[in-house]
Amino acid sequence: MEHSRTSTPVTSADIEHFAGLGIGAVHEAKQLEASYNVDVFGKYHGDAQDVLFPKSTQQVSEILAHCNQRGIGVVVQGGNSGVAGGAIAHRGEVILSLRDMNKVRDLDAISGVLVAEGGCVLEDLDNLVRHDGFIMPVDLGAKKQCMIGGNVSTCAGGLRYLRYGSLRGSVLGLEVVLPDGRILDSLFTLKKDASGYDVKQLFIGAEGTLGVVTAVAVALAPKPRSSQVAVLGLQNFARIQRAFVLARQTLGEIVSAFEFWEKRCTELVIEHEKRDCPLKSTHEFYVLIETRGSFLRHDVEKMDAFLNLLQEHEVVDELRVFRDAEDMENIWLFRSLMAEAHAKSGCMHVYDFSLPSKSQYELLVAVKSHLEAAGLYGKPGMLVSDVTIFGHIGDDNIHLQVIASEFGRLVEESMEPWVYEWVGGHGGSIAAEHGLGAHKGQFLKYAKSPVVIETMKALKQLLDPNNIMNPGKHISRA
Amino acid sequence: MEHSRTSTPVTSADIEHFAGLGIGAVHEAKQLEASYNVDVFGKYHGDAQDVLFPKSTQQVSEILAHCNQRGIGVVVQGGNSGVAGGAIAHRGEVILSLRDMNKVRDLDAISGVLVAEGGCVLEDLDNLVRHDGFIMPVDLGAKKQCMIGGNVSTCAGGLRYLRYGSLRGSVLGLEVVLPDGRILDSLFTLKKDASGYDVKQLFIGAEGTLGVVTAVAVALAPKPRSSQVAVLGLQNFARIQRAFVLARQTLGEIVSAFEFWEKRCTELVIEHEKRDCPLKSTHEFYVLIETRGSFLRHDVEKMDAFLNLLQEHEVVDELRVFRDAEDMENIWLFRSLMAEAHAKSGCMHVYDFSLPSKSQYELLVAVKSHLEAAGLYGKPGMLVSDVTIFGHIGDDNIHLQVIASEFGRLVEESMEPWVYEWVGGHGGSIAAEHGLGAHKGQFLKYAKSPVVIETMKALKQLLDPNNIMNPGKHISRA
């Protein structure tokens, strides 16, 4: 059976039905346009006419049962901080917002397991669990806005993946409402389970195409007792990799983040966010290394040994270490504002790839040449003003930004599918942590084998036979 | 469509077909009985008449395509060290042994990623990667026998789960032959991927019911530069939990294992394995704590602080710390021989549960009372001689052994479903790391919700519609 390609339009009878169930809603065009029909960087514009705000799993179930029966498309929206268009309606679907599903159901301060509803904001959860000596095992630039249900649905990676690993390991259980309204209660709260297929894994990273993640059980990480940040200035990308190897050797188990960015990223943050650079001189590349440990004196000794080694081996041109909480916060803010600064400098096309370390810088060079050859980049006044990379060393994950003076189709037509083919050809992933979203599904074939794609499609067909969940996005486009 | 409950018998024409494909085989009854038709502890006896030894993914594909077309059941066997009967044929299926699929396809010493075929023995892989400064992220008592394909297929947990986490995080990619013979190439070797559903997760822990895991890409862990082991003697279970909390606080990020066992386990190892106890006095409970770090002096200082704290708080009655490699190896051997020592002392019924820490000791008490009330335990000459627990603190995982003078049905009839209902009622898992195997599927309903079980069955039906893979086991019994 082929998936239906259109959604049934929402009628006033449907709206009355939802109102009769006591479900909050917004239908006002201006409000929709300002908050729900546009993504965080203004690239994706939606056409939903209705946003629903269920307050309970039961209400989510009633919404989906009705939509499934009527064939109405549903787009789930958490904090709407996604950058791949996955939470934007583009065929008149109803938006199901998790905003009012924001209760913390349980926090076990002994085992360190949190059970929270999908609409809880990540930063709020992190603040809460810190009182009991824990932290959330995921941290993102968007933490003030993004919600844990969305984090799970995009399999968010973020800033400390290197230390705390994938949400596939930290998420112990999920409560999911299936497209037909059935409630899949898989809210297990213990570490190990090998009894049957791990059904919850299907919904981690499914971007709302298989159901609605209404609650999450997460294994928290212990709050570190000591923390330090070092910032390095380096001449070339090869030295970043050299520094990473030395960090693994000397900092060992206390490394918690190893971020890099290039000169232009620093300039954009200084210009558009009015922040000071953490280093005095200008460098081709910058690295932010964080350690988190349980004993400051030991961690300081390890950090000093590492920094000495970097200088002995002439890996860095400048380095500074920060141990004051406010300093460290400012440096993280500098790093976290990078995407925003790019977006303020023009129309940002963001790409998010996994690549073997040897291919990461090579990609930047290839993209610049490609856009130059297309006559779009390299001279003043051309459509593309900047091409930059920054990312997470050790996670194999880089973000590539192409900044243009207008969105239009020209950049996409030049870049795609060329860049996806390049990444697939180098053994990479075309979506490392941002997800497939609205339009990357069509390029999946450049990186995944046909049998894998067939299996994904069969899973979608099995769980959402009426194709109501985020229709026309993600794997439906593959 | 209902699953067919019987497998087509293997005929001489089938055998000739496999021989024609150049696939090695054993059909000799005595050899089958000695090696392939009995599990490691002699509890499960099989009736396979044929074992096939494919040498390539292509040959596995040819076997499955043929069996799928003919409706012949297939039981996949790795090292045959499973204890839940999952790798034993019990309805005349053909056994597909991974023994000859034992090539290492790639080892990237920079990124620390290993690609190995499913039949590689875990210990061999660990020895291999140590040359390049890495270790396997999973370690089991059965490491000399078990194979990586089986580790993945049972989602093996093991001794250092506390440090290295679940295989769901360490396995980056899989190559799987689907029941119809299609090869699902998902051998990704990078850390992050959020492009579509994570199809490989379905096969992790599927116990050979959805296909054959022919190759695995694993993210290795760095080889520790320093290691220590402490053994504690304690008076009661509550003190184990107290010691665990103190260990997390003082040892922090260097804790790599926290194992416990009770007095009777020590006695059985001394008696049946002729090993010396690591402590001088006899205690109700024992704990083995291991640290792994990158700087011995720091680790020693942390360990000493921890041990002092234990003494100050009067948590332990005796403690010893070991830093010599041979000593540490001997202690790990003592711990690893525990299951074997139990099996030598009688007919071992082993249960493998996840339970909240507060319910773990409570279970032991409940089981003893239950068996006493049934007249099976508590007096000399009764059927059950021993009921013991040991396990992995911090993983929520305990192993419960019921040792009887004969296998028979009496122990099972008394224990089951009672114990599964008890565990499910306390929020636990009925199979934490051993898998559902041959007969636990029927008890899944005590711990999983109906919608979860329905979804598992739908996944089985989707991927193995002819029900040829390990028929009549696992979720098929639910």
Side-chain angles (χ1 to χ4, degrees):
Chain A
M1 189 175 94
E2 260 296 294
H3 275 159
S4 134
R5 287 279 150 196
T6 51
S7 302
T8 306
V10 184
T11 65
S12 55
D14 297 314
I15 296 304
E16 275 166 39
H17 174 79
F18 296 133
L21 295 168
I23 295 164
V26 159
H27 311 288
E28 210 263 313
K30 224 165 174 173
Q31 249 184 294
L32 282 159
E33 178 53 38
S35 303
Y36 306 98
N37 275 332
V38 61
D39 80 304
V40 64
F41 292 136
K43 183 175 177 190
Y44 297 93
H45 294 271
D47 58 4
Q49 300 191 304
D50 316 280
V51 189
L52 302 177
F53 302 97
K55 284 190 187 61
S56 67
T57 305
Q58 191 52 43
Q59 288 193 338
V60 173
S61 165
E62 286 163 346
I63 292 170
L64 292 200
H66 180 82
C67 290
N68 191 49
Q69 202 227 325
R70 292 262 298 117
I72 296 170
V74 178
V75 173
V76 191
Q77 203 171 87
N80 195 17
S81 60
V83 297
I88 300 297
H90 65 301
R91 44 174 74 184
E93 302 95 332
V94 67
I95 291 177
L96 189 160
S97 168
L98 287 170
R99 191 194 66 185
D100 292 348
M101 294 276 304
N102 58 359
K103 287 187 283 296
V104 170
R105 293 195 190 162
D106 193 37
L107 170 55
D108 186 326
I110 304 300
S111 65
V113 176
L114 170 77
V115 182
E117 290 185 346
C120 292
V121 171
L122 179 60
E123 190 178 59
D124 295 345
L125 293 177
D126 195 57
N127 288 336
L128 176 81
V129 303
R130 279 175 183 268
H131 290 295
D132 286 309
F134 296 100
I135 55 167
M136 293 296 287
V138 63
D139 192 5
L140 310 181
K143 66 184 168 187
K144 286 182 196 306
Q145 185 180 356
C146 66
M147 295 171 183
I148 190 68
N151 298 148
V152 168
S153 294
T154 51
C155 195
L159 302 167
R160 292 185 185 85
Y161 183 101
L162 184 62
R163 177 64 163 275
Y164 303 113
S166 169
L167 280 175
R168 296 195 178 278
S170 316
V171 171
L172 304 179
L174 289 182
E175 179 189 83
V176 178
V177 179
L178 297 176
D180 60 9
R182 280 180 303 155
I183 297 168
L184 186 133
D185 175 3
S186 187
L187 267 182
F188 193 63
T189 56
L190 302 172
K191 303 269 162 44
K192 279 184 185 170
D193 183 26
S195 62
Y197 312 131
D198 192 0
V199 168
K200 72 170 183 292
Q201 295 289 346
L202 285 171
F203 305 94
I204 301 177
E207 302 182 49
T209 63
L210 298 179
V212 181
V213 174
T214 47
V216 180
V218 192
L220 303 169
K223 188 165 103 180
R225 295 179 158 212
S226 84
S227 208
Q228 319 168 82
V229 166
V231 181
L232 319 177
L234 314 92
Q235 278 175 23
N236 57 50
F237 194 78
R239 293 193 177 180
I240 297 179
Q241 293 171 315
R242 183 97 182 91
F244 181 69
V245 171
L246 292 173
R248 291 297 285 256
Q249 283 170 10
T250 47
L251 297 172
E253 62 280 1
I254 62 169
V255 182
S256 51
F258 198 106
E259 301 284 303
F260 88 96
W261 61 89
E262 49 162 325
K263 184 169 66 181
R264 186 68 188 132
C265 302
T266 289
E267 291 167 355
L268 290 172
V269 176
I270 293 170
E271 185 181 339
H272 295 283
E273 306 289 342
K274 314 294 175 210
R275 311 285 312 176
D276 292 332
C277 175
L279 296 185
K280 290 187 187 106
S281 309
T282 299
H283 306 277
E284 289 302 314
F285 290 94
Y286 296 80
V287 160
L288 183 168
I289 299 165
E290 185 195 63
T291 70
R292 287 180 159 190
S294 54
F295 197 170
L296 183 62
R297 180 164 52 78
H298 291 171
D299 298 355
V300 166
E301 211 177 312
K302 288 189 177 92
M303 179 64 95
D304 289 346
F306 166 61
L307 297 178
N308 284 338
L309 214 57
L310 287 178
Q311 287 181 306
E312 262 173 45
H313 288 71
E314 298 180 349
V315 179
V316 293
D317 293 325
E318 187 183 353
L319 57 82
R320 287 186 73 189
V321 60
F322 302 87
R323 294 184 176 114
D324 172 78
E326 202 184 316
D327 286 345
M328 292 193 286
E329 205 175 304
N330 279 330
I331 288 159
W332 272 115
L333 191 60
F334 190 93
R335 163 62 185 83
S336 297
L337 288 169
M338 223 146 265
E340 243 167 283
H342 279 82
K344 284 181 187 166
S345 78
C347 295
M348 176 169 70
H349 299 261
V350 58
Y351 297 92
D352 157 51
F353 302 127
S354 283
L355 275 173
S357 54
K358 64 176 184 296
S359 311
Q360 292 173 5
Y361 186 67
E362 203 187 317
L363 170 72
L364 180 68
V365 175
V367 170
K368 285 181 175 174
S369 304
H370 181 81
L371 289 171
E372 272 171 17
L376 297 175
Y377 173 72
K379 288 185 187 151
M382 282 185 165
L383 182 65
V384 173
S385 56
D386 279 303
V387 182
T388 68
I389 53 168
F390 63 88
H392 320 284
I393 296 286
D395 302 353
D396 313 315
N397 180 195
I398 62 162
H399 302 305
L400 170 79
Q401 289 67 233
V402 177
I403 310 297
S405 50
E406 55 188 68
F407 271 123
R409 299 286 312 158
L410 265 177
V411 171
E412 276 179 19
E413 276 167 13
S414 174
M415 287 287 289
E416 303 168 19
W418 171 83
V419 74
Y420 296 112
E421 206 168 350
W422 196 99
V423 168
H426 287 75
S429 163
I430 67 162
E433 60 174 4
H434 293 172
L436 290 177
H439 92 291
K440 281 185 264 182
Q442 61 193 301
F443 306 116
L444 201 53
K445 62 185 174 200
Y446 295 109
K448 299 275 184 198
S449 72
V451 179
V452 171
I453 293 174
E454 280 163 29
T455 307
M456 288 185 193
K457 283 178 170 282
L459 290 167
K460 168 72 175 174
Q461 172 69 31
L462 177 73
L463 289 168
D464 184 20
N466 297 337
N467 191 28
I468 63 158
M469 300 305 304
N470 230 347
K473 298 203 188 85
H474 196 256
I475 191 68
S476 299
R477 300 206 61 177
Chain B
M1 189 173 96
E2 260 297 293
H3 276 158
S4 134
R5 287 280 150 197
T6 52
S7 301
T8 307
V10 183
T11 65
S12 55
D14 296 316
I15 297 303
E16 275 166 39
H17 174 80
F18 296 133
L21 295 169
I23 294 164
V26 159
H27 312 286
E28 210 262 313
K30 225 167 173 171
Q31 246 184 295
L32 281 159
E33 179 53 38
S35 303
Y36 305 98
N37 276 333
V38 61
D39 80 304
V40 64
F41 292 136
K43 183 174 178 191
Y44 297 93
H45 294 272
D47 59 4
Q49 300 191 306
D50 315 280
V51 188
L52 303 177
F53 302 98
K55 283 191 187 62
S56 64
T57 304
Q58 191 53 41
Q59 286 192 340
V60 174
S61 165
E62 285 163 347
I63 292 170
L64 293 200
H66 180 83
C67 290
N68 192 47
Q69 202 227 326
R70 290 262 298 118
I72 295 170
V74 179
V75 174
V76 190
Q77 204 171 88
N80 195 17
S81 59
V83 296
I88 299 299
H90 65 300
R91 44 173 75 183
E93 302 95 330
V94 67
I95 291 177
L96 188 160
S97 168
L98 287 170
R99 191 194 67 185
D100 292 349
M101 294 278 303
N102 60 359
K103 285 187 285 298
V104 170
R105 294 196 190 162
D106 192 37
L107 171 55
D108 185 326
I110 303 299
S111 66
V113 176
L114 171 78
V115 181
E117 289 184 349
C120 292
V121 171
L122 180 60
E123 190 177 60
D124 295 346
L125 293 177
D126 195 58
N127 288 337
L128 176 81
V129 303
R130 278 174 183 271
H131 291 294
D132 287 308
F134 297 99
I135 56 167
M136 293 296 286
V138 64
D139 192 6
L140 311 180
K143 66 185 169 188
K144 286 182 197 305
Q145 187 180 354
C146 65
M147 295 171 183
I148 190 69
N151 299 149
V152 167
S153 295
T154 52
C155 196
L159 302 167
R160 291 185 185 86
Y161 183 101
L162 185 62
R163 177 64 163 273
Y164 303 114
S166 169
L167 280 176
R168 295 194 179 278
S170 316
V171 171
L172 304 179
L174 290 182
E175 180 189 82
V176 178
V177 180
L178 296 176
D180 60 9
R182 280 179 303 156
I183 297 168
L184 185 133
D185 175 3
S186 187
L187 266 182
F188 193 64
T189 56
L190 303 172
K191 303 267 164 44
K192 278 184 185 170
D193 183 26
S195 64
Y197 312 132
D198 191 1
V199 168
K200 72 170 183 293
Q201 296 289 345
L202 285 171
F203 305 94
I204 301 178
E207 300 181 51
T209 62
L210 298 179
V212 181
V213 173
T214 47
V216 181
V218 193
L220 304 169
K223 189 164 104 180
R225 296 180 157 208
S226 85
S227 209
Q228 317 168 83
V229 166
V231 181
L232 318 178
L234 313 93
Q235 279 175 22
N236 57 49
F237 194 77
R239 292 193 178 180
I240 298 179
Q241 292 170 315
R242 182 96 183 92
F244 181 68
V245 171
L246 292 173
R248 290 297 285 257
Q249 283 170 11
T250 49
L251 296 172
E253 62 280 1
I254 64 170
V255 182
S256 52
F258 198 106
E259 301 285 303
F260 88 97
W261 60 91
E262 48 160 327
K263 183 168 67 180
R264 187 67 186 132
C265 302
T266 290
E267 291 167 356
L268 290 172
V269 176
I270 293 170
E271 185 180 339
H272 295 284
E273 305 289 343
K274 314 293 175 212
R275 311 284 313 178
D276 292 331
C277 174
L279 295 186
K280 291 187 184 106
S281 310
T282 299
H283 306 276
E284 289 302 315
F285 290 94
Y286 297 79
V287 161
L288 183 169
I289 299 164
E290 185 194 65
T291 70
R292 288 181 158 189
S294 53
F295 196 170
L296 183 61
R297 180 162 52 77
H298 291 170
D299 298 355
V300 167
E301 211 177 312
K302 287 188 177 89
M303 178 65 95
D304 289 346
F306 167 62
L307 298 178
N308 285 339
L309 214 57
L310 287 177
Q311 287 181 307
E312 262 172 46
H313 288 71
E314 298 181 348
V315 179
V316 294
D317 292 327
E318 187 183 354
L319 57 84
R320 288 186 72 188
V321 61
F322 302 87
R323 295 184 175 115
D324 172 78
E326 202 183 316
D327 287 345
M328 293 192 285
E329 205 175 306
N330 279 330
I331 288 158
W332 272 115
L333 191 60
F334 191 93
R335 163 61 186 84
S336 298
L337 288 168
M338 224 145 264
E340 243 168 282
H342 278 82
K344 284 181 186 165
S345 79
C347 296
M348 176 169 69
H349 297 261
V350 59
Y351 297 91
D352 158 50
F353 302 128
S354 283
L355 275 173
S357 54
K358 64 177 184 295
S359 310
Q360 292 172 4
Y361 186 67
E362 204 187 318
L363 170 73
L364 180 67
V365 175
V367 170
K368 285 182 174 174
S369 304
H370 180 82
L371 289 171
E372 272 172 17
L376 297 175
Y377 173 73
K379 288 185 185 149
M382 282 187 167
L383 181 66
V384 173
S385 58
D386 279 303
V387 182
T388 68
I389 53 169
F390 62 88
H392 320 284
I393 296 286
D395 302 354
D396 313 315
N397 180 197
I398 62 163
H399 301 306
L400 170 80
Q401 289 68 233
V402 177
I403 309 296
S405 50
E406 55 188 67
F407 271 123
R409 297 288 308 161
L410 265 178
V411 170
E412 276 179 18
E413 277 168 12
S414 174
M415 286 288 287
E416 304 169 17
W418 171 83
V419 74
Y420 296 112
E421 206 168 350
W422 196 99
V423 168
H426 287 74
S429 164
I430 68 162
E433 60 174 4
H434 292 174
L436 291 177
H439 92 293
K440 281 184 265 181
Q442 61 194 301
F443 306 117
L444 201 54
K445 62 186 172 198
Y446 295 110
K448 298 275 185 199
S449 72
V451 178
V452 171
I453 295 174
E454 280 163 30
T455 307
M456 288 185 190
K457 283 180 170 280
L459 291 167
K460 169 73 174 172
Q461 171 69 31
L462 176 73
L463 289 168
D464 184 21
N466 298 336
N467 191 27
I468 64 159
M469 300 306 303
N470 231 346
K473 297 204 189 87
H474 197 257
I475 191 68
S476 299
R477 300 207 61 179

